[in-house]
Amino acid sequence: MKLSFWCGILALVLAGPARAQSLAGEWQGVETDPREEGNWPAVLRLQQNKDAKIFGVLYQEVGNQPTMTVTFEMQGARTEDGVSLTHTRKLSETGQTPWTYWCDGSITFTYDPNQEKLVGNATYRPVGDCDVGTFTLYRIKLKSSPTVPANTESTLRVSGQDVRWYADPDLKQRVATGNTYRTKLSKTTTFYLTQGYFATSQSPVVPITITVGGTEASKPVAAAPTPAPADTARPAAPILAPSVKPIVLPTVLFKLGTPELLPTAIPALDQLAAELKARPTLKLRVSGHTDKIGEPQKNQILSVQRAEAVKSYLVKSGIAAERISTAGYGDSRPIYRSPDARNRRVEVEAVK
């Protein structure tokens, strides 16, 4: 959705039917119009609810004028080769003037699974000079195996355009650029990826967790030096180290829109359970948080359910239920400007 004598935002989000590949997630790119100069960077976040309805949020800004922005709520349905979305309502707008407006209408996207690319053709309501637009969006998705052998050079591969890899969620430690990263891991590791392709202040940060599955069998190598001890030989840094604020568990992630724990959560939760067993008088508060996508009431419920899911896992691991309290804050306590995937988190805190 472009900004025409008023400018626009467009939406794309989807999760597919049972056998179709899900389009849920965060897509980043741009809208253009061959008959007009300029461009409109865009971020589309899509989800699917339990009723299989597709909904999401489309953010857009005017190229070279990042103070002129719009955010639309989108709804739609899966098509044979993509998704069709309709603007349902405007959620926010900045930088508006009496002479500008954002176009709205419908967008039909075609999905390319090889590139994780959406190409959308927008048809706008005939207001002013609103007519058509073309979207090109990409998402970051892991294309190589999520499990690698320990202490062995492996190539990690993802989709996306102008990808940057970071070792920390604050994006201060860049470790690689591009669609591949060759590295050697000794323990399960989460990387935080962004795209430089028409980046905006709303560009998503995508966590990618790589699980270390085991040590590769030794192979004789002529004149090979004795390998250094693996990092895993050292005790893992404690999760419940002294802290004046709640501790974020970056690898404790959930299936989109549900309280179902992903496998990446297990190593951190196992370590947390071990620390609680070693400190039998310690009590723990688990807090769940969501991002500002969807209805606030549903986000509140989901945050409570996710905190309870962590508690349930710890109880099954042998921790007494009365030692663990839970709380859910929905989308009320973001630590990054929403929408941002890093706001979807679980925090733990030792309590007296």
Side-chain angles (χ1 to χ4, degrees):
M1 112 154 43
K2 62 189 177 198
L3 182 84
S4 222
F5 234 89
W6 305 9
C7 251
I9 268 192
L10 233 34
L12 298 150
V13 172
L14 81 114
R19 298 200 174 186
Q21 184 167 345
S22 172
L23 298 183
E26 299 169 305
W27 301 79
Q28 177 176 321
V30 66
E31 180 189 9
T32 57
D33 185 335
R35 290 168 294 186
E36 295 185 26
E37 294 183 359
N39 58 69
W40 300 269
V43 174
L44 176 64
R45 291 174 166 89
L46 296 173
Q47 294 188 26
Q48 179 175 355
N49 62 19
K50 293 182 179 179
D51 299 325
K53 294 180 180 179
I54 296 168
F55 64 96
V57 175
L58 176 64
Y59 167 87
Q60 213 160 352
E61 63 184 42
V62 179
N64 298 321
Q65 297 186 58
T67 59
M68 300 185 71
T69 74
V70 65
T71 301
F72 279 93
E73 180 181 84
M74 308 295 289
Q75 291 185 5
R78 190 69 190 262
T79 62
E80 182 177 352
D81 58 357
V83 62
S84 178
L85 298 173
T86 299
H87 299 82
T88 55
R89 64 187 176 114
K90 187 188 297 182
L91 298 176
S92 65
E93 181 178 1
T94 65
Q96 63 266 43
T97 73
W99 307 279
T100 61
Y101 57 91
W102 288 95
C103 305
D104 62 7
S106 63
I107 309 169
T108 300
F109 290 98
T110 300
Y111 171 53
D112 179 346
N114 294 323
Q115 298 187 70
E116 296 298 334
K117 177 182 180 181
L118 287 175
V119 175
N121 294 314
T123 302
Y124 296 121
R125 294 186 300 114
V127 177
D129 57 355
C130 290
D131 45 17
V132 297
T134 300
F135 284 81
T136 304
L137 306 174
Y138 295 87
R139 70 173 169 182
I140 293 175
K141 186 174 182 180
L142 184 64
K143 290 294 188 177
S144 56
S145 173
T147 302
V148 300
N151 305 307
T152 303
E153 280 201 351
S154 304
T155 299
L156 311 178
R157 184 168 58 89
V158 298
S159 61
Q161 294 289 303
D162 190 12
V163 178
R164 292 93 182 271
W165 303 65
Y166 295 87
D168 64 308
D170 293 323
L171 310 182
K172 294 180 179 179
Q173 303 174 43
R174 187 187 296 190
V175 295
T177 58
N179 293 90
T180 60
Y181 176 33
R182 189 157 181 81
T183 186
K184 183 186 294 186
L185 301 177
S186 61
K187 59 184 178 181
T188 296
T189 302
T190 298
F191 297 100
Y192 300 86
L193 279 62
T194 65
Q195 297 186 81
Y197 181 71
F198 290 96
T200 71
S201 63
Q202 300 297 309
S203 295
V205 178
V206 181
I208 297 288
T209 299
I210 306 300
T211 302
V212 173
T215 305
E216 184 183 53
S218 298
K219 299 178 182 179
V221 180
T226 302
D231 288 345
T232 49
R234 300 196 301 268
I239 292 176
L240 296 174
S243 176
V244 297
K245 60 182 180 179
I247 300 163
V248 178
L249 302 180
T251 62
V252 177
L253 305 174
F254 300 84
K255 188 175 180 181
L256 188 67
T258 78
E260 180 182 341
L261 285 163
L262 293 178
T264 56
I266 304 308
L269 294 182
D270 285 345
Q271 181 184 342
L272 183 59
E275 292 182 27
L276 288 170
K277 290 176 182 178
R279 302 168 67 181
T281 62
L282 185 67
K283 294 186 178 181
L284 189 73
R285 179 185 295 117
V286 180
S287 303
H289 301 265
T290 69
D291 202 13
K292 289 182 179 293
I293 296 179
E295 301 176 21
Q297 298 88 341
K298 292 183 178 179
N299 284 341
Q300 172 64 34
I301 295 171
L302 180 60
S303 67
V304 172
Q305 292 173 333
R306 287 178 169 175
E308 287 291 334
V310 171
K311 176 178 178 177
S312 178
Y313 186 92
L314 294 173
V315 170
K316 289 178 181 178
S317 299
I319 307 302
E322 58 268 23
R323 295 178 60 191
I324 307 169
S325 61
T326 60
Y329 296 99
D331 56 22
S332 66
R333 297 187 178 184
I335 54 179
Y336 299 93
R337 181 179 176 182
S338 286
D340 192 309
R342 293 171 290 179
N343 290 322
R344 302 196 292 266
R345 69 195 187 280
V346 167
E347 297 175 341
V348 295
E349 182 180 11
V351 296
K352 296 181 180 180

